[in-house]
Amino acid sequence: MNRFLFATMIAGIILSSCSPKKRNQESNAGANPFFSECTTPYGVPPFDNIKTEHYKPAFDQGLADHKKEIEAIVNNQEKPTFENTILALDNSGLLLGRVSKVFFNLVSADGTEEMHQIEEEYAPILTKHEDEICMNEKLFTRVKAVYDERANLGLGTEENRLIEKYYRNFVRGGTSLSSEDKARVMKLNEEIVGLTTKFAKNLLSENNRFQLVVTDEKELAGLPESSVSAAAASAKDKGKEGSWIFTLDKPSWIPFMQFADNRTLREKMYKAYINKGNNNDDLDNKVILEKIVQLRAEKARIMGYKNWAEFIISDNMAKTPEAANALIGQVAGATIPYVKKEATELQKIINQSRAGFKLEPWDWWYYTEKLRKERYSLDEAALRPYFSLESTQEGMFQLCNKLWDLQFEKLTGLPVYNQEAITYAVKDGDGSLLGIMYFDFHPRATKRGGAWMDNIREECYVDGKRQVPVIVNICNFTRPVGDTPALLSIDEAETMFHEFGHALHGLLTQCKYRGTSGTSVPSDFVELPSQIMENWVLEPEMLKLYAKHYQTGEIIPDSLVQKIQATRAFNQGFITMELIASSALDMDWHMVSGSEKREAVSFEKESMKKLGLTKEIEPRYSSWYFNHIFGSDPGYSAGYYAYTWSAVLDADAYQAFVESKNIFDKGVAAKFRKYVLEKGDSDDPAKLYREFRGKNALPDAYLKRKGFVHSEAQ
């Protein structure tokens, strides 16, 4: 999921997409839609009226308004209270939140070069603005007064949680530092945000720059027709009709790695992907990330922590880097024997073919498919016809209806930021509106890679009435070609369910305040609602609901369902190891405590050697294209372990359905909704999980799901 870079709780700008009232703006604002009362259905942003030139005036006015609101809180002569200080902060920055939410969502999903230039210009400005709030001593004095008195105020759990979050974030923002250290931290934050913005921009440019142009049809041997057709359509779009173009977008890259017989081209595609940002040219990211690491380490030391990992994780469920590393080590230890076994099996296939070479990383995907077909008579390409995008989405909706009685109404006529975006109203079982959803499924040059969820408007209560959220799910799935709809891989189907799990966290939340709403939870808890959804994707009962052949409507046959079940633990050594390797790499980078420079390539090699990663596998994200921690989504810096931490939670949570002997058990689903999906960050996540499950989560269910041996609970 994507964590909005600047809309932090401290700045108080996680607010409504539309203005609640008319504003009298200066003459140069013109007909800027950010300055007018919103008249769109459901109060969604008027995307059809928003132009690039509207952003800068809206940012400027939003910053000015927010500064005045902060000054009003600071200069309030009344005794600090929850209402006039904490709630006032939570409700400040209306315009700034509006433009920020729209702009930063669009710059990732449909960003033009002009928008990226605005991002580079305003990223440091917004960071400085946030720092000025965090380091405002008079403001902190008021917050601290409420914090110190909180036990005597007779407030509820959510109010106390909000007070504690604001107090903690002011402290973590540097308000208690000396004047000299405050100035240095502000400078560091400005430099870091400039570097992360540059990192992400380089990565998008690098991804768009590479094309593998095939002119000889013989070089397409082994590729499924869907992949060939998509490559032909891509070539036609780029004015190279009669050839085939493959790109580094996952829907193009993955099938090529899985099925292309031409090993030389597989190697070329593989190396192009893993060397994004590592080509010693104008888009190289190594020096950028090395500098980011240095600056973060320095900031952590100023803040009183040993390193960036300690600073970040102290605010998460794990609490310490040692706890995160213990989980990483435990999972790696359980995984390595399976990786070695898988590599041996793949080498055996290579030897049987008399190919005469040793297994390399660009061979793994290809020979895994050979082994899958040999062992289980299952070709993943043969599954795609049963997983059209439309039927998979409908299956996801059916699941939510079975669990929580949710209803989904496709909307037409709503303004959209791109014509490929699809809109839905999501309603509860009683017909009440829960929120509005935007789905955006396919790759394009203006969209960054990956998949994520974000909010354009957060859920909260305004004047006693629930403000419905506006949520986006952005993906990069296989495109339809000609008369053939988008046919998804299993991985893409799981990704769809995953991102919608994040959306449910934002849609179903029932929190009073913006600072506690929805996905504003620790990063090692936020993946629980998303990852638990993946458990249903391949369950036999679930497959029978939605896996239907796109041409005949035939429900997936039992023979294929049985093969799918037989392969659920297949290749899990590889899948788990590349993920845990990235988690270890992230932790190693962010446990650096000195100011000396680390050279990225050698540092990564040493990190992977220490982990025990075999040469046939690369981490899922190498340092120079690790966007989660160095680019547009830096909320996961020293936090990529969160996917595994949350996987332990989601495997244990799903066991509640398994134990009930009904994977659609409404009673279990209702408890999960009550204690996880609705609560946001209104209470301690560990406590909320225990209230749902009745116990703490242990790794047993996770390791069992992977097909690994049981390990002692940590």
Side-chain angles (χ1 to χ4, degrees):
M1 98 171 260
N2 179 40
R3 290 298 191 88
F4 184 56
L5 184 54
F6 301 107
T8 63
M9 191 186 73
I10 281 292
I13 59 176
I14 320 177
L15 295 165
S16 170
S17 302
C18 288
S19 177
K21 59 184 179 180
K22 298 279 188 182
R23 297 179 52 94
N24 293 319
Q25 297 299 333
E26 297 180 10
S27 59
N28 65 356
N32 193 317
F34 288 112
F35 298 154
S36 302
E37 182 178 0
C38 198
T39 58
T40 57
Y42 308 105
V44 302
F47 290 118
D48 48 349
N49 293 327
I50 295 172
K51 302 184 185 305
T52 304
E53 59 263 28
H54 292 145
Y55 289 116
K56 292 175 69 171
F59 271 129
D60 292 341
Q61 188 64 49
L63 286 162
D65 285 0
H66 199 203
K67 288 176 182 177
K68 290 178 182 178
E69 291 162 0
I70 296 300
E71 288 173 6
I73 298 171
V74 170
N75 295 326
N76 190 332
Q77 298 302 307
E78 296 178 0
K79 177 183 176 181
T81 65
F82 175 79
E83 287 75 15
N84 69 22
T85 300
I86 304 300
L87 193 55
L89 273 171
D90 204 51
N91 288 330
S92 66
L94 194 67
L95 176 57
L96 185 57
R98 215 159 44 246
V99 62
S100 296
K101 275 295 187 182
V102 172
F103 177 80
F104 286 105
N105 271 292
L106 265 61
V107 82
S108 289
D110 203 27
T112 63
E113 180 58 34
E114 189 176 357
M115 290 179 72
H116 284 292
Q117 290 173 3
I118 295 173
E119 180 185 25
E120 289 187 44
E121 179 181 352
Y122 276 82
I125 294 172
L126 291 166
T127 299
K128 181 181 178 182
H129 174 70
E130 182 177 328
D131 283 340
E132 288 173 346
I133 295 173
C134 290
M135 297 182 188
N136 187 316
E137 292 181 15
K138 291 182 180 179
L139 181 60
F140 177 62
T141 297
R142 293 187 65 89
V143 171
K144 187 176 185 299
V146 180
Y147 175 81
D148 290 342
E149 188 65 19
R150 68 192 186 284
N152 303 317
L153 299 178
L155 298 172
T157 301
E158 185 173 356
E159 286 76 15
N160 279 308
R161 180 76 172 176
L162 189 66
I163 293 169
E164 290 163 3
K165 286 187 73 172
Y166 269 105
Y167 175 80
R168 187 171 64 249
N169 283 316
F170 268 97
V171 173
R172 290 172 64 81
T175 191
S176 300
L177 298 175
S178 67
S179 297
E180 182 181 350
D181 283 343
K182 282 182 179 178
R184 181 56 185 158
V185 167
M186 290 182 72
K187 180 64 175 175
L188 289 171
N189 288 342
E190 182 180 343
E191 289 186 57
I192 289 169
V193 76
L195 290 167
T196 55
T197 301
K198 180 65 173 173
F199 185 102
K201 185 179 179 182
N202 282 354
L203 189 54
L204 178 61
S205 298
E206 183 89 279
N207 198 76
N208 289 336
R209 181 168 65 177
F210 176 85
Q211 294 180 357
L212 176 66
V213 181
V214 175
T215 56
D216 185 351
E217 191 170 5
K218 294 178 182 178
E219 294 180 340
L220 303 175
L223 288 167
E225 179 55 37
S226 59
S227 182
V228 173
S229 298
S234 179
K236 183 177 180 180
D237 289 343
K238 293 176 172 62
K240 296 184 179 181
E241 191 166 3
S243 59
W244 298 263
I245 290 180
F246 298 89
T247 71
L248 300 183
D249 292 329
K250 286 296 183 72
S252 178
W253 186 82
I254 289 178
F256 199 95
M257 299 310 302
Q258 288 176 311
F259 300 110
D261 291 337
N262 190 315
R263 187 172 186 249
T264 299
L265 292 184
R266 286 204 316 272
E267 180 180 2
K268 184 175 182 179
M269 284 284 281
Y270 185 84
K271 288 184 174 179
Y273 187 87
I274 66 164
N275 285 313
K276 290 185 294 185
N278 182 30
N279 291 304
N280 299 314
D281 56 13
D282 60 316
L283 299 180
D284 197 274
N285 274 334
K286 296 194 293 296
V287 172
I288 294 175
L289 74 91
E290 291 161 8
K291 186 63 174 177
I292 292 171
V293 169
Q294 281 183 295
L295 298 179
R296 284 176 175 166
E298 182 183 350
K299 178 180 174 179
R301 290 195 303 274
I302 293 173
M303 298 300 299
Y305 294 85
K306 294 177 184 177
N307 50 55
W308 185 256
E310 186 177 86
F311 173 60
I312 292 296
I313 297 175
S314 65
D315 210 34
N316 285 352
M317 286 186 74
K319 300 303 180 188
T320 67
E322 290 73 23
N325 277 326
L327 179 62
I328 290 170
Q330 182 180 7
V331 173
T335 306
I336 286 172
Y338 289 86
V339 168
K340 291 179 177 178
K341 181 181 178 183
E342 290 167 3
T344 299
E345 291 171 336
L346 298 181
Q347 185 64 56
K348 183 178 179 181
I349 294 177
I350 294 171
N351 294 343
Q352 288 172 346
S353 68
R354 301 178 185 274
F357 56 81
K358 294 293 184 181
L359 179 70
E360 295 287 352
W362 49 89
D363 299 315
W364 194 290
W365 296 68
Y366 179 77
Y367 284 99
T368 291
E369 290 308 311
K370 297 283 188 187
L371 182 59
R372 193 196 311 269
K373 193 169 185 179
E374 175 186 296
R375 182 176 294 173
Y376 303 104
S377 300
L378 181 63
D379 182 348
E380 189 175 273
L383 294 175
R384 283 183 181 258
Y386 294 95
F387 292 89
S388 72
L389 188 150
E390 289 76 12
S391 67
T392 304
Q393 184 183 39
E394 180 57 31
M396 182 174 72
F397 290 165
Q398 288 184 64
L399 172 63
C400 294
N401 181 261
K402 281 183 168 292
L403 295 177
W404 301 294
D405 296 321
L406 303 188
Q407 305 165 40
F408 301 86
E409 177 187 342
K410 192 171 184 178
L411 302 173
T412 57
L414 282 191
V416 292
Y417 58 88
N418 186 287
Q419 290 307 305
E420 292 189 320
I422 307 166
T423 55
Y424 281 84
V426 183
K427 297 181 179 180
D428 213 341
D430 62 2
S432 61
L433 181 66
L434 287 168
I436 301 298
M437 277 294 306
Y438 284 75
F439 292 97
D440 183 358
F441 286 125
H442 303 298
R444 52 182 173 265
T446 54
K447 183 192 289 188
R448 72 174 174 86
W452 64 94
M453 165 269 183
D454 207 343
N455 306 286
I456 293 178
R457 181 175 66 216
E458 294 275 353
E459 179 272 349
C460 64
Y461 276 76
V462 179
D463 297 328
K465 183 178 180 181
R466 184 176 184 266
Q467 175 177 274
V468 297
V470 178
I471 310 291
V472 293
N473 267 176
I474 313 294
C475 302
N476 281 279
F477 293 154
T478 302
R479 280 190 170 278
V481 178
D483 295 330
T484 304
L487 303 178
L488 306 185
S489 66
I490 296 297
D491 181 71
E492 288 176 320
E494 290 176 339
T495 298
M496 180 187 287
F497 276 64
H498 176 107
E499 296 305 332
F500 196 66
H502 284 308
L504 289 171
H505 204 182
L507 289 163
L508 299 182
T509 183
Q510 294 287 334
C511 292
K512 301 176 189 175
Y513 311 111
R514 297 172 177 91
T516 55
S517 179
T519 58
S520 57
V521 300
S523 62
D524 47 11
F525 189 69
V526 77
E527 296 298 333
L528 167 59
S530 56
Q531 291 183 176
I532 194 173
M533 291 291 288
E534 296 180 44
N535 287 275
W536 279 276
V537 175
L538 299 180
E539 289 283 21
E541 303 99 307
M542 189 68 208
L543 288 168
K544 293 294 184 181
L545 287 178
Y546 79 95
K548 301 174 183 179
H549 198 283
Y550 79 96
Q551 290 175 311
T552 66
E554 172 198 11
I555 295 173
I556 190 168
D558 290 338
S559 58
L560 277 181
V561 173
Q562 291 166 5
K563 290 176 182 179
I564 289 172
Q565 301 313 305
T567 61
R568 290 187 76 167
F570 178 70
N571 200 39
Q572 284 299 313
F574 170 82
I575 292 170
T576 307
M577 199 65 204
E578 65 163 8
L579 175 68
I580 212 69
S582 289
S583 302
L585 181 61
D586 170 33
M587 290 298 295
D588 284 347
W589 273 120
H590 291 112
M591 290 188 75
V592 167
S593 56
S595 59
E596 64 272 18
K597 182 179 178 181
R598 269 75 172 178
E599 195 282 317
V601 173
S602 59
F603 185 93
E604 180 164 322
K605 285 182 179 178
E606 185 60 31
S607 173
M608 296 300 93
K609 180 181 178 181
K610 180 178 67 173
L611 182 69
L613 188 68
T614 60
K615 70 177 184 64
E616 298 89 357
I617 298 178
E618 301 275 355
R620 178 172 294 182
Y621 299 104
S622 283
S623 304
W624 31 90
Y625 64 94
F626 207 159
N627 207 42
H628 284 75
I629 67 172
F630 293 128
S632 61
D633 201 7
Y636 282 93
S637 64
Y640 198 69
Y641 78 91
Y643 285 97
T644 302
W645 190 278
S646 293
V648 170
L649 295 175
D650 94 69
D652 183 78
Y654 189 68
Q655 277 298 110
F657 290 93
V658 174
E659 290 162 7
S660 76
K661 302 189 186 305
N662 177 9
I663 64 169
F664 304 120
D665 190 303
K666 285 185 177 292
V668 177
K671 282 188 71 176
F672 189 77
R673 176 174 177 171
K674 178 180 179 180
Y675 291 114
V676 178
L677 297 176
E678 290 185 354
K679 290 291 187 181
D681 199 30
S682 61
D683 206 345
D684 175 61
K687 177 186 172 185
L688 292 174
Y689 187 82
R690 286 192 297 271
E691 288 179 333
F692 160 65
R693 193 71 170 99
K695 64 183 184 67
N696 291 325
L698 297 174
D700 299 59
Y702 169 74
L703 295 172
K704 182 179 179 181
R705 183 174 68 188
K706 291 287 184 180
F708 300 162
V709 294
H710 282 257
S711 299
E712 290 184 4
Q714 60 179 8

